[in-house]
Amino acid sequence: MIYLDHNATTPVDPRVLEAMLPYLKSFYGNASGLYKLGRLSRTAVDTARHQIAELVGVAASQVIFTSGGTEANNLALTSLEPAAGLAVSAIEHPSILEPAERLHRQGHPLSILGVDSDGLIRQDTLDEIIRAEKPALVSLMLANNETGVIQDIARHAEPLRSQNILLHTDAVQAAGKIPVDFKALGVQMLSLSSHKLYGPKGAGALIFEKGARLSPLLLGGGQEQNYRSGTENVAAIVGFGKAAELAKAELAQRSERLAGLKIQLEAGLRSISGLCIFSENAPRLPNTVQFGLPDVDGEMLLMKLDRHGIAVSSGSACASGGKEPSYVLTAMGIDPALARSAIRISLGSSNTPEQITRFIEILKTLVSQEG
Ligand SMILES: Cc1ncc(COP(=O)(O)O)c(C=O)c1O
């Protein structure tokens, strides 16, 4: 199989699995237990907390473990004071857009920031929303899961900070692929997910600036400084920590490798007549390429590629399955017919130059059959 869908999820790194196994086999203690078995789990969770903190340059006490990126995003939005306004970009992941819509239905003013044809949030659009709507909280993703476009969060943060507007960034797709530094970004909250960086599914974190007023989604035993009750998923947290440690240590070599593969991939794609690479001129993640082919049905192409053992996505994995064109491409003003043809390739550790060559060969054959 040629797996080209690493933005949907990544395989667990064998070193991560190795680190997790003792906590699945022998060290099963509840991290709240005061006896040795419990203390072993507590120490493991604390180590992971430090590893995550190191990845994004914060103190360990600023890390709240969650069940994943979705929960971290939902938790971030609880920082909104009653009736206060919220602004989010049109291309956020559904785990921001859906809770934002619910908050709106509950009476919070909601502004949706458009993007330009490259998928970038424009500073003047943000300035206008700050001036006209005065939101209390803004949520802008660092890197988009479909196009891979990287936003200039540090730049957008400046006017927000000077007006005491909270800024959250969804860094789920960025972490492990580009440097993510909480302070340099100038945000007050940041979401991470383990399974996007070769850790296990079902673990994530919200990083928060001390003093941020979050309202827990889950109430109970008071774990995670009262921000997230529930017995810690120790093995998954240990795996997330190990994955974060490896991502930090290997970031430069990983992104260099991916960038090389991406150059090869894009050169191959450009040799297909009529093919259009979305957001081609915007800063993008080193692993992500989304393209469209006029008169091609993206879902059909995906299925044909699958029959050749190639796994790709026709847009956002979490939102795919419908015939609606991707809302991200729609927000960029891409023609709906072209948007319906979209295929996303997201490269990762297992991919080789030979696989890219093979993928391009098969894609060319399939596209020529369409014509
Ligand atoms: C940008 C982005 N944010 C959040 C999420 C949700 O993360 P999780 O799958 O850990 O809930 C995803 C998953 O695809 C994502 O791509």
Side-chain angles (χ1 to χ4, degrees), residues 73-74 77 86-105 110-113 139 141 144 170 327-328 331:
N73 281 346
N74 275 259
L77 297 195
L86 170 67
V88 304
S89 87
I91 59 164
E92 295 300 311
H93 188 265
S95 55
I96 285 292
L97 291 175
E98 292 296 323
E101 291 292 348
R102 181 157 81 179
L103 286 163
H104 183 45
R105 288 194 295 276
L110 172 65
S111 314
I112 307 279
L113 276 99
S139 182
M141 72 201 318
N144 184 264
D170 174 349
Y327 67 91
V328 173

Side-chain angles (χ1 to χ4, degrees), residues 7 68-70 73 93 95 141 143 145 170 172-173 193 195-196 318:
N7 286 8
T70 297
N73 281 346
H93 188 265
S95 55
M141 72 201 318
N145 39 302
D170 174 349
V172 162
Q173 290 293 347
S193 173
H195 75 106
K196 308 288 185 182
C318 313

Side-chain angles (χ1 to χ4, degrees), residues 123 126-127 130 135-136 138 153-168 181-188 209:
Q123 186 59 47
L126 182 58
D127 289 341
I130 298 172
V138 175
I153 296 296
R155 164 81 183 91
H156 298 321
E158 282 168 29
L160 296 172
R161 196 173 32 244
S162 64
Q163 302 201 44
N164 285 326
I165 300 170
L166 289 176
L167 177 58
H168 163 258
D181 183 310
F182 187 81
K183 287 193 201 82
L185 289 169
V187 297
Q188 285 72 50
E209 196 170 78

Side-chain angles (χ1 to χ4, degrees), residues 49 92 136 185 255 272 342 345 348 359 368:
R49 200 183 301 285
E92 295 300 311
L185 289 169
S255 55
I272 299 174
I345 306 298
F359 165 68
S368 66

